[in-house]
Amino acid sequence: MIPYFNYKALYHQDKELFLALFDNIAERGAFIACEELHQFEEELARYAGCKYAVGVSDGTAAIIVALKAGGIVPGDEIIVCSHTMVATASACAWVGAHPVLVDCGEDHLIDPDKIEASITPRTRAVLPTQLNGRISDMDSLHAICRKHQLLLFEDAAQALGARYKNQSAGTFGVAGTISFYPAKTLGCFGDGGAILTNDEEVYRKIKLLRDHGRNDKGEVECWGLNSRLDNLQAAILLHKLKKYPQDLETRRSLAAAYHERLNDMHELLLPPAPDSGGERYDIYQNYEIEADRRDALKTFLAKEGVGTLIQWGGKAVHQWKGLGFNQSLPRTERLFERCIMLPMNTAVSMADVDYICEKIRKFYRTN
Ligand SMILES: *Cc1c(COP(=O)(O)O)cnc(C)c1O
């Protein structure tokens, strides 16, 4: 059995250390906003190559706080790719803004060519999702934002450590957001998130907003909320960040192996291989492929003991009736008929990849 994701493995990879870490923190009673959180924030900023990182409660709150700190106000329109988690768009809605959904390109990321047609006098920002561990075409997005005087934010929930022209995901615009949900590349033992920024004033606002509007002296300066990253989660993340570059290399070698074993199959469309282009360092948060007869393939693999996942319940944001979008985005819709994600995490072995690829080949030989 190869599960799509093995949550217990997160613990078992370093069990003794995690137990000691929990004991240390609990014995000190250091639960909220203590040394480990500050240390983690410093290390995270250093790792991403930006001035500031702020830990928050989760990746969705991270977007809400980042948008608000960055100056988004009710009535603003924010351009988002519909091929994303609903959280990207719902965060816009929660600050009173309107998410305006656009189609994805061939690379499954926001299509820069579709953005300009969606710009109105109320457009304030573009919020690309750096999906599956791969960064969007930032040169084009920067050019559009400059031309139309729009703010740029990034939902980098899936892309901590991914690079574009040697710059890290989350550091391109006003602010970028990260998620530490357990199944993310840097996962904690519950919910967690962070915001990256290079702007001192935005940083100050983020810190106020995540802690009831309170400044360092405890004075309330504005309406805020409680969106703090637990100290215990910060301690776990601080430890995991040390070996994170290694984890990313493991993911990249799994991606290279999938590519080598499946690339000749005309029934499939694979993500680019790790070394396919000089401009990007992809971190493979997910290994999402397009496949002919996708549903039958999923059933077949399940019978052979291989867990797979169709991202976000199989629908793009604009396809959820309850959200009231009434539009058609052909490329995104076609993608959701064909996409499926194969096991991709540090608990997957090369032997697992061999087995999975063998079964995929068998499916297309016999079906
Ligand atoms: C996981 C994810 C989020 C939300 O993060 P949470 O920590 O679960 O709130 C937002 N956007 C994208 C693209 C994600 O993958």
Side-chain angles (χ1 to χ4, degrees):
M1 285 300 287
I2 306 170
Y4 177 71
F5 192 83
N6 184 346
Y7 286 90
K8 263 200 317 203
L10 289 178
Y11 179 46
H12 288 153
Q13 279 170 351
D14 238 336
K15 179 169 170 170
E16 295 310 312
L17 188 133
F18 290 129
L19 285 173
L21 201 145
F22 174 74
D23 187 59
N24 175 295
I25 283 179
E27 285 293 347
R28 282 161 45 219
F31 298 121
I32 303 286
C34 297
E35 191 188 323
E36 284 80 2
L37 174 62
H38 305 133
Q39 239 177 303
F40 173 62
E41 290 175 336
E42 250 175 55
E43 290 299 323
L44 183 63
R46 182 172 311 141
Y47 173 72
C50 63
K51 280 197 189 142
Y52 310 104
V54 184
V56 292
S57 57
D58 56 76
T60 308
I63 309 171
I64 294 173
V65 169
L67 292 175
K68 206 160 165 56
I72 297 298
V73 295
D76 286 349
E77 291 177 359
I78 303 176
I79 295 177
V80 172
C81 184
S82 190
H83 183 217
T84 186
M85 190 185 177
V86 69
T88 321
S90 60
C92 300
W94 273 95
V95 297
H98 303 290
V100 173
L101 303 175
V102 300
D103 215 350
C104 63
E106 258 162 42
D107 61 358
H108 300 181
L109 304 170
I110 193 166
D111 184 351
D113 293 338
K114 296 283 157 45
I115 292 176
E116 283 194 300
S118 299
I119 292 175
T120 75
R122 285 162 43 154
T123 308
R124 276 295 301 291
V126 180
L127 168 57
T129 299
Q130 316 296 27
L131 200 67
N132 295 334
R134 184 174 171 84
I135 300 183
S136 311
D137 173 358
M138 298 315 285
D139 284 351
S140 299
L141 296 186
H142 269 313
I144 293 166
C145 289
R146 253 196 319 272
K147 181 171 162 198
H148 298 274
Q149 301 191 339
L150 304 177
L151 301 171
L152 177 68
F153 294 87
E154 284 169 84
D155 180 350
Q158 300 198 354
L160 177 65
R163 296 195 294 271
Y164 173 85
K165 297 189 173 173
N166 232 6
Q167 187 174 346
S168 289
T171 68
F172 288 87
V174 181
T177 60
I178 309 291
S179 167
F180 304 124
Y181 182 84
K184 296 284 159 69
T185 49
L186 184 65
C188 63
F189 293 172
D191 280 313
I195 307 170
L196 309 178
T197 184
N198 283 307
D199 184 316
E200 189 180 349
E201 189 49 31
V202 171
Y203 168 68
R204 220 182 68 78
K205 284 192 190 140
I206 292 167
K207 296 224 350 199
L208 290 174
L209 290 172
R210 78 149 172 196
D211 187 32
H212 304 292
R214 294 183 296 202
N215 64 20
D216 291 341
K217 286 181 243 153
E219 300 159 345
V220 176
E221 289 189 26
C222 62
W223 295 118
L225 37 102
N226 177 0
S227 179
R228 297 176 302 235
L229 177 64
D230 288 351
N231 202 56
L232 184 59
Q233 301 296 354
I236 290 162
L237 290 163
L238 183 61
H239 169 67
K240 292 188 73 175
L241 186 60
K242 289 190 193 112
K243 60 183 254 302
Y244 186 61
Q246 243 168 286
D247 288 347
L248 297 187
E249 280 304 314
T250 301
R251 285 174 177 275
R252 284 166 57 82
S253 47
L254 292 171
Y258 273 128
H259 200 271
E260 202 182 293
R261 287 155 184 71
L262 298 175
N263 194 39
D264 62 320
M265 303 197 66
H266 63 86
E267 296 92 342
L268 306 177
L269 186 71
L270 308 179
D275 298 312
S276 59
E279 298 200 330
R280 285 187 176 84
Y281 181 87
D282 296 342
I283 63 156
Y284 300 93
Q285 158 68 56
N286 305 306
Y287 197 78
E288 185 172 51
I289 66 172
E290 288 186 40
D292 292 352
R293 303 192 289 291
R294 190 261 323 260
D295 293 337
L297 173 65
K298 182 170 175 53
T299 307
F300 178 85
L301 289 176
K303 277 203 201 104
E304 299 284 358
V306 177
T308 56
L309 188 72
I310 295 168
Q311 205 157 211
W312 304 312
K315 279 189 169 66
V317 178
H318 74 282
Q319 293 177 299
W320 293 108
K321 290 275 179 298
L323 300 180
F325 291 95
N326 196 2
Q327 66 186 121
S328 146
L329 299 169
R331 190 172 262 146
T332 301
E333 284 157 29
R334 168 134 179 85
L335 174 57
F336 272 97
E337 289 166 8
R338 293 174 49 79
C339 61
I340 182 168
M341 306 198 300
L342 305 179
M344 167 56 77
N345 56 76
T346 53
V348 174
S349 69
M350 281 297 170
D352 292 339
V353 173
D354 282 339
Y355 179 83
I356 294 162
C357 294
E358 194 185 296
K359 295 303 172 192
I360 293 174
R361 300 189 80 92
K362 182 175 168 200
F363 171 76
Y364 287 111
R365 260 200 322 272
T366 54
N367 283 273

